[in-house]
């Protein structure tokens, strides 16, 4: 007889989402009667012929009082110390995955983390061929010096900031895998619906068919690199175009959705935080389409409407894979295309990356900027949530006047670096431009372009991005042209 079981997020110390219908589900004996009790509610349902069952609790108010959730069938399960508050999903690749313990000041930060009303659960890295029903987890962990070192740093600073502002329990479901590309997080059906789908399949088929040779070439390059770093001869082997990331890895199309997202659905959440894109930097047209498709698919699958989806725009970084030094502005722009969807917003980080490290250490700034989005747009807190955003550019003689949204609090250039503005004329050749602030606008000019028609800002991998508004939030990279 199959044992009565619950979906993986229903564990001791869980936090349930307030003010929403709460699905509770699991497995049992076929046709077994299941009763779920929590607070003043008791609901029942019968398992289907395959043993799957689900019930729904009516919306609940936030509560800091621990309560047991009891599931009764042929046996009884009790989930203890359950709170009700705000639950956020945190997903993506390595920069979302980087833990608090990786921070340069971790020894100072971790001992101060002690808040039992903030709880995190880590979802184990899992690759699956088809949608899984279960996944290994860390269990729900109270925020404490003993556990917080394993929390996603960005998710921790987000949850701490939100808790300080609204004072209700905060739960973070952290499900990320370093080095993953976006196609790994999209279900197969949605992937097939995209124009990029056939090319993604073609690339994956090629990788599988040639995996042994790709692995051999990669290992030879790595060996030569390590020998050179150890004082040996300069590595003469060109870096291979492909890494041996085949079946079972974080690059397999749809496999991370199957293993790390499907088992979580439809656990009630407030919204999602997303930090990913580095693994797709060189396929920007695909990314612009896939990112929207993924957001829409997750929302449909969760069945909770257009829940908030907040994402991190990639920061400054010198990518050795991009000798042009100009590839990353395009993936940043591809990310912005998702802003066309409702309930999306972007945390700009062009000012807090590390030119020489794809894993920048300033995770507090990223978490706090994501928290600003939620504070303003979800929790009704009066605060500026965005830096200056390009609105329009108007020619005035040999100068362009650039107007911005989110500039009511003023504009400022911080630091001594020359702002990264460029202008171009009809020949479409961009030249560095001087920039000066005039009220809530910026005047840009280059003596090399007497009749400017287009302007770009921070349009390279590692720009001097020092434009801010009065709230201290950075301006997003932009271009006025569509070239």
């Amino acid at each position: 007889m199959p044992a009565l079981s619950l979906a993986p997020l229903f564990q001791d110390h869980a936090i349930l989402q307030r003010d929403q219908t709460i699905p509770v589900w699991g497995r049992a004996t076929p046709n077994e009667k299941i009763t779920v009790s929590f607070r003043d509610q008791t609901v029942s349902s019968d398992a289907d012929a395959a043993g799957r069952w689900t019930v729904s609790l009516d919306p609940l108010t936030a509560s800091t009082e621990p309560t047991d959730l009891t599931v009764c069938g042929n046996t009884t399960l009790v989930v203890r110390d359950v709170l009700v508050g705000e639950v956020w999903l945190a997903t993506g690749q390595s920069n979302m995955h980087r833990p608090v313990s990786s921070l340069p000041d971790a020894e100072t930060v971790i001992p101060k983390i002690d808040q039992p009303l903030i709880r995190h659960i880590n979802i184990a890295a899992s690759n699956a061929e088809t949608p899984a029903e279960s996944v290994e987890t860390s269990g729900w962990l109270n925020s404490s010096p003993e556990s917080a070192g394993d929390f996603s740093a960005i998710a921790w600073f987000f949850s701490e900031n939100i808790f300080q502002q609204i004072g209700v329990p905060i739960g973070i479901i952290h499900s990320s895998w370093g080095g993953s590309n976006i196609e790994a997080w999209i279900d197969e059906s949605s992937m097939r619906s995209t124009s990029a789908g056939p090319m993604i399949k073609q690339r994956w088929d090629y990788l599988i068919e040639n995996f042994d040779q790709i692995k051999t070439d990669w290992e030879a390059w790595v060996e030569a690199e390590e020998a050179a770093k150890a004082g040996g001869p300069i590595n003469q082997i060109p870096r291979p175009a492909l890494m041996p990331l085949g079946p079972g890895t974080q690059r397999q199309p749809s496999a991370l959705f199957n293993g790390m997202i499907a088992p979580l659905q439809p656990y009630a959440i407030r919204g999602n935080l997303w930090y990913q894109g580095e693994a797709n930097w060189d396929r920007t047209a695909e990314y612009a389409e896939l990112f929207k498709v993924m957001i829409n698919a997750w929302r449909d699958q969760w069945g909770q409407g257009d829940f908030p989806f907040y994402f991190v725009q990639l920061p400054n970084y010198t990518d050795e894979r991009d000798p042009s030094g100009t590839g990353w502005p395009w993936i940043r722009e591809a990310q912005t295309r998702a802003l066309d969807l409702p309930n999306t917003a972007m945390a700009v980080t062009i000012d807090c990356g590390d030119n020489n490290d794809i894993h920048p250490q300033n995770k507090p700034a990223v978490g706090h900027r994501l928290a600003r989005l939620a504070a303003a747009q979800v929790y009704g807190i009066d605060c500026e949530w965005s830096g200056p955003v390009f609105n329009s550019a108007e020619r005035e003689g040999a100068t362009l006047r650039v107007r911005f949204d989110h500039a009511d609090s003023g504009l400022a250039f911080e630091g001594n670096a020359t702002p990264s503005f460029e202008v171009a004329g009809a020949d479409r050749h961009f030249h560095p431009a001087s920039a000066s602030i005039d009220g809530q606008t910026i005047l840009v000019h280059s003596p090399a372009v007497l009749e400017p028609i287009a302007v770009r800002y921070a349009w390279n991998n590692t720009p001097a991005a020092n434009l801010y508004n009065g709230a201290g939030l950075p301006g997003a990279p932009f271009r006025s042209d569509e070239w």
Side-chain angles (χ1 to χ4, degrees):
M1 178 183 296
L4 179 63
S5 66
L6 275 162
L9 295 177
F10 294 97
Q11 300 182 40
D12 291 351
H13 318 301
I15 294 183
L16 303 180
Q17 175 61 46
R18 66 174 174 174
D19 302 332
Q20 291 185 12
T21 299
I22 309 234
V24 182
W25 72 100
R27 280 280 197 163
T29 302
N31 306 313
E32 181 178 346
K33 183 177 181 61
I34 305 298
T35 300
V36 176
S37 299
F38 184 73
R39 282 171 37 175
D40 59 350
Q41 295 189 50
T42 299
V43 290
S44 298
S45 180
D46 292 334
D48 65 16
R52 296 184 179 90
W53 61 268
T54 183
V55 302
S56 294
L57 297 172
D58 290 336
L60 300 160
T61 57
S63 174
T64 60
E65 180 179 351
T67 306
D68 290 348
L69 185 149
T70 303
V71 181
C72 294
N74 294 332
T75 57
T76 298
L77 298 176
V78 179
V79 182
R80 304 190 185 281
D81 185 24
V82 179
L83 305 180
V84 180
E86 292 289 296
V87 181
W88 287 83
L89 183 64
T91 53
Q93 59 179 109
S94 56
N95 274 304
M96 182 61 82
H97 191 270
R98 298 284 282 190
V100 173
S101 61
S102 72
L103 297 173
D105 56 348
E107 291 183 358
T108 301
V109 172
I110 291 174
K112 298 177 181 178
I113 296 177
D114 188 12
Q115 179 46 262
L117 297 182
I118 301 176
R119 301 175 179 182
H120 288 219
I121 184 170
N122 293 323
I123 306 304
S126 181
N127 177 304
E129 294 287 342
T130 58
E133 292 188 6
S134 189
V135 66
E136 292 184 8
T137 79
S138 64
W140 285 93
L141 303 171
N142 290 341
S143 302
S144 69
E146 292 71 34
S147 63
D150 293 330
F151 292 177
S152 158
I154 287 173
W156 163 249
F157 289 111
F158 171 87
S159 60
E160 178 190 43
N161 188 283
I162 292 299
F163 177 78
Q164 290 172 350
Q165 296 188 75
I166 67 175
V168 305
I170 304 293
I172 297 290
I173 305 166
H174 168 231
S175 185
S176 66
W177 192 338
S180 57
N181 52 24
I182 194 170
E183 47 263 48
W185 296 99
I186 304 173
D187 68 280
E188 185 178 0
S189 176
S190 297
M191 186 81 72
R192 287 199 304 266
S193 73
T194 69
S195 63
M199 181 57 67
I200 290 169
K201 184 179 185 305
Q202 180 178 329
R203 285 198 301 265
W204 184 250
D205 289 345
Y206 178 87
L207 193 153
I208 293 173
E209 292 165 4
N210 298 276
F211 186 80
D212 291 343
Q213 185 60 53
I214 291 169
K215 183 178 180 182
T216 298
D217 293 344
W218 181 260
E219 290 176 346
W221 178 80
V222 169
E223 182 179 350
E225 280 285 290
E226 292 176 347
K229 291 177 182 177
I234 296 174
N235 180 10
Q236 300 294 327
I237 302 174
R239 179 189 173 105
L242 295 174
M243 297 174 65
L245 292 169
T249 72
Q250 69 273 45
R251 297 292 180 93
Q252 183 174 349
S254 303
L256 303 194
F257 168 82
N258 291 336
M260 301 175 67
I261 297 298
L264 314 180
Q265 298 170 339
Y267 195 88
I269 60 173
R270 175 61 70 193
N272 184 53
L273 312 174
W274 174 258
Y275 193 151
Q276 191 277 336
E278 299 95 328
N280 292 84
W281 75 271
D282 56 346
R283 300 192 298 277
T284 57
E286 284 186 5
Y287 197 91
E289 178 185 17
L290 294 173
F291 194 21
K292 285 185 177 182
V293 166
M294 188 194 79
I295 294 170
N296 284 330
W298 285 18
R299 286 171 166 174
D300 288 344
Q301 291 149 6
W302 249 279
Q304 297 173 196
D306 293 333
F307 57 72
F309 198 106
Y310 301 149
F311 58 93
V312 179
Q313 188 182 49
L314 295 188
N316 46 300
Y317 174 59
T318 303
D319 193 332
E320 64 179 10
R321 302 166 298 177
D322 177 27
S324 74
T326 58
W328 279 47
W330 303 98
I331 187 65
R332 295 182 191 120
E333 183 181 69
Q335 292 178 298
T336 69
R337 301 304 186 198
L339 296 173
D340 295 340
L341 300 178
N343 268 358
T344 57
M346 180 176 74
V348 175
T349 63
I350 194 65
D351 62 325
C352 59
D354 184 329
N355 289 356
N356 300 309
D357 189 349
I358 202 168
H359 301 123
Q361 298 288 359
N362 195 357
K363 296 297 190 278
V366 181
H368 292 158
R369 288 175 187 176
L370 287 168
R372 273 182 177 260
L373 303 179
Q377 299 187 19
V378 175
Y379 302 117
I381 296 168
D382 185 14
C383 65
E384 177 59 274
W385 53 270
S386 173
V389 175
F390 173 74
N391 179 289
S392 63
E394 178 183 352
R395 183 180 164 196
E396 297 179 359
T399 298
L400 286 177
R401 183 180 295 275
V402 186
R403 302 184 186 278
F404 297 88
D405 298 325
H406 297 279
D408 292 346
S409 58
L411 297 171
F413 294 132
E414 295 190 2
N416 299 320
T418 302
S420 294
F421 282 91
E422 304 168 278
V423 294
D427 63 359
R428 300 188 175 186
H429 291 300
F430 281 89
H431 299 266
S434 61
S436 60
I437 295 171
D438 184 19
Q440 297 175 1
T441 67
I442 292 178
L443 301 175
V444 292
H445 167 76
S446 172
V449 185
L450 299 182
E451 297 183 357
I453 61 173
V455 58
R456 292 179 177 180
Y457 168 70
W459 209 257
N460 61 68
N461 292 1
T462 57
N466 56 355
L467 171 62
Y468 293 80
N469 61 12
L473 294 172
F478 69 84
R479 63 187 180 116
S480 67
D481 62 279
E482 295 184 356
W483 301 335

